[in-house]
Amino acid sequence: MARQQPDRRTTDPQIAEAMTRLRAVVEDFLPDHEIARTAKSLLVGGAYLGESAVAKILIDRVAFWQDRLNHELDIYEAVRMQGAPVPMPRLLDGRRAMGILILEHLDGDPLARQRYPCRTINPADMTLLLDMLPALNGWQLHTTPSQQTTLQAAEQRLANHVARGLLPQDDADRVAALLSRLTWSPEFHHRDLLFSNCLMHRDRLALIDWEYAGYAIPGYDEALLWVLLMDHDRQRNDLLTHVQERGHERTLLFMINCLIILPREIHALRATRTSASLRRATALETELDNVRGWVQGCQR
């Protein structure tokens, strides 16, 4: 994992406090370099009981981020009991109350470092990624939520988009009606499947950062990948073909997920307010209109 430039949204006192907390509660971890920092967390490389490891330490300890770290720890603890559905780091230590995870360090490079990749993803790597998703989708984590629970979560996200003026109410109603009519069951997804969270490690692909993982409408991870590949039409088309090969209903669920994800991306890009992000938001608005038209056509 390559070292990154510090995020200037964090301050030296925050970093000092995080490191003091780490040393106080995980004496067996010996830090030797900073890997990355954001306003939310600090990643530090080092050794844990002689094994190469990474410490993830919360900097922003508001309830939301603490809940996400706890959730990620739940995922890793479930993997200890059930085995991993796909390659991922092992949990070495975790301290919920102190906002700290100690994970196996996986050497390797991400498939891309940018949210929206500048370059085409290696086709062989893309195939590896898509081929591992069925195993992930089929993982049974504790109790699978009901279809109604997953539907309600999707409807809430759509309602948020409507409230922000990102999606017409008619589209939200149309999606809810389609989801009620289709035959589907909730599937387990990574739910933050950025290409930066996909590491090529010793000729195999491993997924990291599991803080958002959970059950969703089938096709969620593929839909996110499709949105993020907006600059690469050929790979997008290949991905869509991959989805279509799994059947008409799977394709429709994939498009519904695109309709849920696109407004969120547009909102985040608009909030950034740079000229580049605003141009990308405008391009995604066109994509959203196209997906809306496709979903409308499926209801007729």
Side-chain angles (χ1 to χ4, degrees):
M1 186 179 296
R3 303 186 191 189
Q4 299 179 7
Q5 292 298 315
D7 187 322
R8 298 307 177 187
R9 292 172 293 176
T10 57
T11 66
D12 288 341
Q14 288 176 309
I15 301 302
E17 186 280 329
M19 292 303 298
T20 298
R21 192 174 358 125
L22 173 64
R23 292 187 177 99
V25 300
V26 191
E27 295 179 356
D28 292 321
F29 182 81
L30 302 176
D32 60 29
H33 67 280
E34 178 181 320
I35 296 174
R37 69 172 83 168
T38 67
K40 174 191 72 175
S41 61
L42 174 69
L43 292 182
V44 177
Y48 179 84
L49 297 176
E51 182 172 353
S52 182
V54 174
K56 181 176 183 178
I57 316 151
L58 279 186
I59 293 174
D60 186 347
R61 301 189 68 190
V62 298
F64 177 82
W65 292 122
Q66 183 66 54
D67 179 66
R68 290 297 89 205
L69 183 132
N70 290 343
H71 178 73
E72 187 170 15
L73 182 53
D74 289 341
I75 298 293
Y76 283 115
E77 289 180 341
V79 166
R80 272 183 171 175
M81 299 292 293
Q82 302 172 221
V86 297
M88 60 191 292
R90 289 179 296 111
L91 176 69
L92 303 178
D93 202 340
R95 308 297 174 95
R96 292 177 188 271
M98 301 305 291
I100 295 172
L101 291 181
I102 308 295
L103 303 169
E104 173 191 15
H105 180 254
L106 299 182
D107 291 321
D109 293 316
L111 297 189
R113 298 189 186 279
Q114 309 84 12
R115 186 175 187 87
Y116 302 94
C118 297
R119 298 179 180 178
T120 301
I121 304 301
N122 182 299
D125 295 343
M126 193 71 190
T127 297
L128 284 174
L129 177 56
L130 294 177
D131 285 349
M132 72 165 50
L133 292 184
L136 177 60
N137 297 156
W139 197 43
Q140 299 295 312
L141 177 66
H142 308 311
T143 302
T144 304
S146 67
Q147 184 190 74
Q148 186 61 31
T149 298
T150 307
L151 177 60
Q152 288 173 349
E155 289 175 341
Q156 183 57 58
R157 294 183 70 180
L158 291 166
N160 292 341
H161 297 335
V162 172
R164 288 172 170 167
L166 296 166
L167 196 69
Q169 183 64 56
D170 287 350
D171 284 318
D173 294 340
R174 185 175 291 109
V175 167
L178 282 170
L179 287 173
S180 297
R181 192 181 75 197
L182 294 171
T183 301
W184 58 277
S185 298
E187 291 182 349
F188 195 82
H189 288 262
H190 185 281
R191 291 177 56 190
D192 195 25
L193 198 59
L194 312 181
F195 291 101
S196 57
N197 286 336
C198 306
L199 292 182
M200 187 53 65
H201 170 67
R202 297 178 184 173
D203 297 324
R204 67 172 187 167
L205 198 60
L207 305 185
I208 62 172
D209 286 354
W210 292 83
E211 61 192 13
Y212 290 104
Y215 286 90
I217 298 166
Y220 185 93
D221 283 343
E222 291 100 327
L224 178 57
L225 293 173
W226 184 84
V227 170
L228 298 179
L229 285 169
M230 64 176 292
D231 296 327
H232 306 284
D233 290 342
R234 182 172 179 176
Q235 286 205 303
R236 266 189 152 192
N237 291 337
D238 290 345
L239 175 53
L240 182 56
T241 298
H242 171 86
V243 173
Q244 290 171 333
E245 288 172 349
R246 300 183 68 180
H248 175 72
E249 286 208 348
R250 183 80 184 196
T251 304
L252 183 51
L253 291 167
F254 165 85
M255 286 296 180
I256 287 171
N257 276 307
C258 290
L259 199 61
I260 292 171
I261 292 168
L262 277 164
R264 180 198 68 191
E265 294 292 309
I266 292 167
H267 178 73
L269 288 164
R270 284 179 180 172
T272 305
R273 295 185 177 276
T274 66
S275 57
S277 66
L278 293 175
R279 284 195 301 270
R280 192 173 289 281
T282 299
L284 286 181
E285 286 166 356
T286 300
E287 298 283 4
L288 178 58
D289 287 341
N290 293 337
V291 172
R292 288 176 57 220
W294 197 92
V295 172
Q296 289 170 11
C298 288
Q299 195 183 37
R300 298 190 187 105

